[in-house]
């Protein structure tokens, strides 16, 4: 990429970030692009609305679920060393691993943990523990509080629990606490010089905090909870770093596992394995999954991606191998995912010249809605689906298991424990779009807003899929 193209990218990010921030949608935003040997990072707005601290090029932020790609890389490093085998049952390494369904954990292989095909029903399980035994506490608690959504390998459901079990597995086979392993084998090897594994480390440098929209003042207020508990570290609860650090990690995957400094972080074979399709649900709202990476198809171009929610913020990391490009960004309000999507689509279509085909065409009329009506559940989540005025209406309710988890989830969600009813229009049998959105909204990253239903038996759908997460008919 020549300097003229770099300046165009920089100007586009600056203009779009400024417009988005100044419209009041997000207090601060930072984004970076590495393409063909050139790199730029742009920041705008404030990192903390309470203090007025500016968002800077090197401001740190919570990675959120982008951490899952780092955790998967750590697992594959141990596979490269012969310490782990992807097709070995997890209980071989973690004999105490169990779920509340007898024998269910015994069927889960190591690869199921990092391909989101494990079926562990623990997506909103938030045990509050700190320190060296946090992940052990999490895994021990699964036996009495969490069951399964499906048989391992039978379906795909985005899995925080799978990644946390993988983190505990890493601790056992390496003898190192997960934060130490992450710092030593990813941060140090990749050259992520400004990344940390805890709030205590991050407070020593410029770090952004998340925000939520205050319904009374309609202004952004800082979150009351900076990070999720230590138990969520491997799924994205605690790691913190900068856009430049994420770009370095993305470049490592572009280069077949070799970091920008020349360090071999992962074998070429394992790096390639992470990009291969592990499971494909065959529905537009859930792209195929590799190991760690979500494989977004934009026509013939595949974008390796992962976004990451944190309390009041959202990050994203995208790698485009065919075009030698990495895009990373963070906004400190949940709605920043819209700006992530806008910039990714601009980079693909305008900067790289990648055609972005329509993912969803005109809605189909006369779709029978009765197979989808009912109540669907997963860990502490209930979704009631009915038909209203020829559309599906969903009412989602959080049902906390105890006071501690209610407190954590409520803070993570900015005070909400249930959402307003959402109407969906049928696109085709089994696929629905939220009412009121132009259909081109779903051509990019925001295809995750679509909802699908699967495995119809005796005239009733068995699973509902929203954002890649399954709920099962009650």
């Amino acid at each position: 990429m020549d300097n003229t193209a770099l300046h165009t990218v920089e100007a586009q990010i600056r203009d779009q970030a400024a417009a988005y921030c100044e419209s009041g949608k997000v207090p601060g935003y930072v984004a970076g692009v590495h393409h063909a040997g050139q790199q730029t990072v742009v920041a705008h707005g404030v990192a903390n609305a309470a203090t007025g601290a500016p968002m800077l090029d090197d401001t740190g932020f919570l990675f959120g679920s982008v951490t899952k790609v780092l955790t998967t890389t750590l697992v594959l490093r141990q596979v490269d060393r012969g310490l782990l085998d992807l097709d070995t049952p997890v209980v071989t390494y973690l004999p105490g691993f169990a779920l509340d369904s007898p024998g269910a954990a015994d069927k889960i292989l190591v690869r199921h943990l990092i391909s989101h095909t494990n079926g562990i029903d623990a997506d909103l399980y938030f045990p509050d523990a700190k320190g060296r035994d946090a992940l052990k506490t999490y895994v021990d608690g699964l036996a009495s509080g969490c069951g399964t959504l499906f048989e391992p390998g039978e379906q795909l459901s985005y899995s925080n629990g799978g990644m946390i079990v993988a983190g505990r597995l890493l601790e056992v086979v390496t003898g190192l606490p997960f934060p130490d392993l992450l710092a030593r084998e990813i941060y140090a090897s990749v050259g992520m010089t400004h990344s940390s594994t805890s709030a205590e480390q991050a407070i020593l440098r410029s770090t952004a905090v998340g925000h939520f929209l205050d319904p009374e003042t309609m202004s952004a207020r800082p979150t009351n909870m900076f990070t999720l508990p230590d138990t969520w570290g491997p799924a994205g609860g605690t790691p913190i770093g900068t856009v430049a650090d994420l770009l370095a990690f993305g470049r490592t995957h572009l280069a077949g596992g070799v970091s920008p400094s020349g360090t071999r972080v992962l074998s070429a074979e394992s790096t390639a394995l992470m990009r291969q399709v592990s499971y494909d649900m065959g529905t537009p709202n859930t792209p195929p999954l590799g190991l760690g990476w979500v494989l977004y198809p934009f026509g013939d171009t595949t974008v390796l991606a992962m976004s990451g929610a944190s309390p009041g913020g959202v990050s994203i990391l995208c790698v485009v191998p065919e075009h030698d490009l990495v895009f990373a960004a963070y906004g400190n309000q949940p709605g920043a995912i819209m700006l992530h999507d806008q910039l990714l689509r601009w980079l693909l279509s305008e900067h790289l010249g990648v055609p972005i085909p329509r993912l969803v065409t005109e809605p189909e009329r006369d779709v029978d809605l009765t197979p989808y009506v009912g109540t669907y559940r997963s860990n502490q989540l209930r979704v009631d689906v009915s038909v209203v005025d020829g559309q599906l209406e969903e009412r989602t309710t959080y049902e906390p298991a105890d006071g501690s988890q209610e407190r954590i989830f409520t803070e993570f969600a900015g005070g909400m424990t249930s959402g307003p009813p959402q109407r969906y229009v049928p696109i085709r049998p089994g696929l629905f779009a939220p009412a009121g959105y132009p259909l081109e909204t779903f051509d990019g990253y925001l295809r995750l807003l679509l909802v699908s239903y699967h495995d119809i038996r005796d005239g009733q759908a068995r699973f509902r899929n929203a954002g890649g997460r399954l709920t099962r008919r009650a």
Side-chain angles (χ1 to χ4, degrees), residues 111-131:
R111 76 165 63 245
H112 291 143
L113 298 178
I114 54 176
S115 62
H116 301 278
T117 56
N118 50 77
I120 298 170
D121 188 9
D123 209 45
L124 295 179
Y125 175 52
F126 293 104
D128 194 5
K130 296 183 181 296

Side-chain angles (χ1 to χ4, degrees), residues 378-455:
S378 60
N379 180 267
Q380 303 179 62
L381 193 70
R382 171 182 173 139
V383 183
D384 292 297
V385 182
S386 59
V387 176
V388 180
D389 299 330
Q391 300 175 344
L392 285 187
E393 181 176 274
E394 295 189 347
R395 293 175 178 266
T396 301
T397 306
Y398 174 61
E399 300 177 328
D402 55 53
S404 173
Q405 294 190 64
E406 181 177 19
R407 173 183 58 79
I408 293 166
F409 177 84
T410 302
E411 293 293 353
F412 178 68
M416 299 286 288
T417 56
S418 61
Q422 174 66 58
R423 296 278 186 89
Y424 288 86
V425 297
I427 300 300
R428 66 185 192 213
L431 182 66
F432 297 83
Y437 285 78
L439 293 182
E440 58 268 22
T441 302
F442 313 113
D443 294 342
Y445 203 83
L446 296 181
R447 65 190 71 186
L448 292 177
L449 295 176
L450 299 169
V451 168
S452 59
Y453 291 82
H454 302 269
D455 196 7

